């Protein structure tokens, strides 16, 4: 399990990058002990909303096997609208690793960063569980209009996403071990 932290199109955030690297190493160890599953290799990228839409769409396209540029651009425009309100996003990759995108505009303090890191790393642990990545791939392929999923499959995916989100929110208290008072 290897963790890398970097930035994408945000110059001048050296202190935030160093803080995130320090927090990420500790958060990976804490989440790995507290959540069932196996931690994959994780790439953590600090970026702005535009970068989140760009990198997130590229990762989804790689996962779904999309090569059509027009489809990717349409999806990226839709993702940009949502990226402004999102603090972070975890995406499985085709090679078995995970990509964590963090919107730096949503993180005013290291405590906010710690909570988001723990939340997204819990999602990374969930990717190692049985059939989770297959459900995500099926949903992404449906979003790119490559392969339609049935209504039942869509409802099942929504139910699983809600269940995974509840688990991730439930584990945010682990951020208190990184920075006391972070999850309060």
């Amino acid at each position: 399990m290897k963790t890398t932290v970097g930035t994408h199109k945000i110059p001048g955030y050296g202190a935030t990058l160093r803080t995130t690297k320090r927090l990420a190493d500790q958060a990976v160890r804490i989440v790995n002990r507290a959540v069932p599953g196996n931690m994959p290799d994780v790439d953590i990228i600090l970026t702005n909303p535009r970068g989140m839409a760009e990198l997130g769409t590229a990762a989804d396209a790689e996962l779904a096997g999309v090569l059509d540029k027009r489809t990717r651009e349409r999806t990226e425009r839709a993702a940009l609208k949502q990226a402004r309100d999102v603090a972070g996003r975890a995406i499985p990759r085709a090679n078995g690793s995970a990509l964590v995108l963090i919107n730096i505009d949503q993180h005013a303090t290291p405590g906010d960063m710690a909570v988001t890191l723990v939340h997204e790393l819990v999602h990374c642990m969930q990717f190692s569980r049985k059939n989770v990545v297959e459900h995500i791939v099926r949903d992404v392929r449906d979003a790119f209009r490559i392969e339609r999923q049935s209504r039942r499959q869509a409802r099942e995916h929504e139910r699983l996403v809600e269940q995974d989100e509840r688990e991730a929110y439930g584990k945010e208290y682990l951020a208190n071990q990184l920075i006391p008072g972070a999850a309060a």
Side-chain angles (χ1 to χ4, degrees):
M1 133 185 96
K2 186 176 109 178
T3 305
T4 58
V5 180
T7 60
H8 177 72
K9 295 185 179 180
I10 53 165
Y13 282 90
T16 305
L17 179 64
R18 286 187 294 279
T19 302
T20 304
K21 283 182 181 180
R22 183 176 45 79
L23 290 173
D25 290 337
Q26 296 171 10
V28 165
R29 283 194 306 274
I30 290 169
V31 170
N32 201 15
R33 284 190 307 247
V35 179
N38 297 318
M39 182 68 75
D41 292 342
V42 179
D43 293 327
I44 300 170
I45 306 292
L46 303 175
T47 188
N48 55 19
R50 181 172 295 282
M52 284 190 68
E54 179 184 325
L55 294 174
T57 301
D60 284 343
E62 177 190 343
L63 190 63
V66 175
L67 299 175
D68 181 25
K69 186 176 179 181
R70 181 181 293 165
T71 304
R72 288 176 64 168
E73 288 174 351
R74 176 176 33 84
T75 306
E76 187 174 326
R77 283 191 300 272
L80 181 59
K81 293 175 185 175
Q82 295 175 343
R84 293 183 183 106
D85 300 325
V86 176
R89 182 171 177 216
I91 306 165
R93 287 185 165 163
N95 64 4
S97 66
L99 174 66
V100 174
L101 301 173
I102 296 180
N103 183 355
I104 58 164
D105 294 346
Q106 298 283 330
H107 299 88
T109 66
D112 295 339
M113 183 67 72
V115 171
T116 300
L117 277 172
V118 167
H119 183 97
E120 299 306 329
L121 289 171
V122 168
H123 288 311
C124 292
M125 293 290 282
Q126 292 165 347
F127 297 155
S128 70
R129 297 181 188 160
K130 186 177 180 181
N131 296 330
V132 172
V133 174
E134 289 80 13
H135 286 286
I136 293 171
V137 169
R138 186 175 60 211
D139 190 62
V140 169
R141 289 181 66 83
D142 181 59
F144 278 112
R145 297 180 183 160
I146 296 171
E147 184 179 324
R148 303 299 289 179
Q149 62 180 343
S150 68
R151 287 187 189 123
R152 179 191 294 173
Q153 290 170 330
R155 284 192 309 268
E156 179 186 9
H157 178 73
E158 287 299 317
R159 184 184 57 78
L160 292 172
V161 166
E162 288 176 20
Q163 179 181 338
D164 289 346
E165 282 296 325
R166 277 195 305 272
E167 180 184 11
Y169 282 117
K171 296 294 182 181
E172 285 182 357
Y173 72 90
L174 295 171
N176 285 330
Q177 295 178 23
L178 299 172
I179 298 175

